[in-house]
Amino acid sequence: MQKAKMVIDKEFKISEIDERVYGSFIEHMGRAVYGGIYEPEHKEADEQGFRKDVLELVKGLNVPIVRYPGGNMVSAYNWEDGVGPIDNRPRTLDLAWRTVETNQVGTNEFADWANKAGTDVMMAINLGTRGIDEARQFIEYCNHPGGSRWSDLRREHGYEEPHKIKTWCLGNEMDGPWQIGQKTAEEYGRLAKETAKAMRAVDPEIELVSCGSSGSGMPTFPEWEAVTLDHTYDEADYVSLHQYFGNQDNDSQNYLASTLELDRFINTVTSIADYIKAKKRSNKTLMLSFDEWNVWYHSTEQDKENAPWGTAPPILEDVYNFEDALLVGGILITFLKNADRVKMACMAQLVNVIAPIMTDNMGAAWKQTIYYPYMHASLFGRGVSLQPILSSPKMDTKDFTDVPYLDSAVVHNPENEEATIFIVNRHLSEDLRLDINVSSFEGYQLVEHIALEHEDLKAVNTSEKQEVQPYKNKETSLNMGSIEAKVNHASWNVIRLKKM
């Protein structure tokens, strides 16, 4: 058995972790809302129609922020259609997904759901078919206390107190040709800047996210970032990044190495932001919001069968397997290793649509395989991100060279006097004996070693059978400042320490 070594130290600090890196996303798309978080006829529905069984699974993830209401649909969405008496709301055509939107859930209902889930809202505004006026009216409706047209309308709708939504996205994927109201970089940059100024005039306390490229493979990338940030840098607090992963070629080893591309993407956007900072002689450092990310490739053929203009059809209901869970773990590790710049991230999405939580209409709710690394990172990854010094055997794959078998992130929580080591062994057949020097954590003891593994990379979870579940690895030990652990091939590992 080959060996690997790691050194972790309290002083090897990368950055304080913004808990919003464990955020998620609910779009009015498919069954994310209707049949997902909201199903008034379900036996688990509360007085507002929200599924309590889904809420419990969401709470289990300790999600700090949820992006809403899109996504692609926001680029032709009129927020006014989703407020006021529910019986008076129009049924509208969602051009992004070619469905009928009933508008039974809108801004106020989602704010209520977020309160029940213990999470904040990241609100996206329409900069596809709309602009400055609608955006400043929307934030007045949501955040202004009262005594004005739009804030008083909210109060008439039964919400006396403002929602105080802090984080706002200035549009979505505006360089994408699939987007309603696609913009050039110059068009978007000018519009986003002026919209941001108007929104801040209403509420100076908000945070704003400038829309980045739709992905690193876009022909507009990275020129889009350079041009748009030249306009929005002074007004925005973050620039958005979107990236999805897939194993279309069924090359699992190459698939698990693809987080190296994610790291390059982050570094490129960071470099562009810092170039604009230097160009403007600014003292502000722009942060990154990875507000769409996940595995997405299982369901594309299925979705072609959906007839247009249905209500809440099953769209992008990827059934995730075990290797997808390993990749999600690797993505989360990459975010933690870049915690100095990646301050927010939203797994897209939360329920049913490329999601860790699945439901049956009028039936059960259950955890997909990817639920577990997301849960572990969110629960145990709060505090300070540390830089591990890791020596691991390496391999080459189809698209990547010198890929370490092991990838790892370390989090220290000084308040709770806890430390957590997250590890993925992405090699498909090699187990490793890992020695971890933890001598700087004097007085800390081993709490547990949680592992997620399965002999079948394609194993999935269903409502009837949870094939992929974490277990406690009892073979790991801590003696004289050193952890000895066996890290099995193709496994996700969480090693927890606490000062006793």
Side-chain angles (χ1 to χ4, degrees), residues 17-23 64 293 332 335-336 342-345:
I17 297 164
D18 189 323
E19 66 174 14
R20 294 176 298 174
V21 77
Y22 305 118
W293 70 271
L332 290 160
F335 290 159
L336 289 173
V342 178
K343 296 298 183 181
M344 295 191 292

Side-chain angles (χ1 to χ4, degrees), residues 4-5 55 132 199 246 292 329 394 461 487 494 500:
K5 294 183 178 180
L55 273 168
I132 300 169
M199 293 176 71
E292 285 190 33
K394 296 181 179 180
N461 289 344
V487 181
V494 183
M500 302 297 185

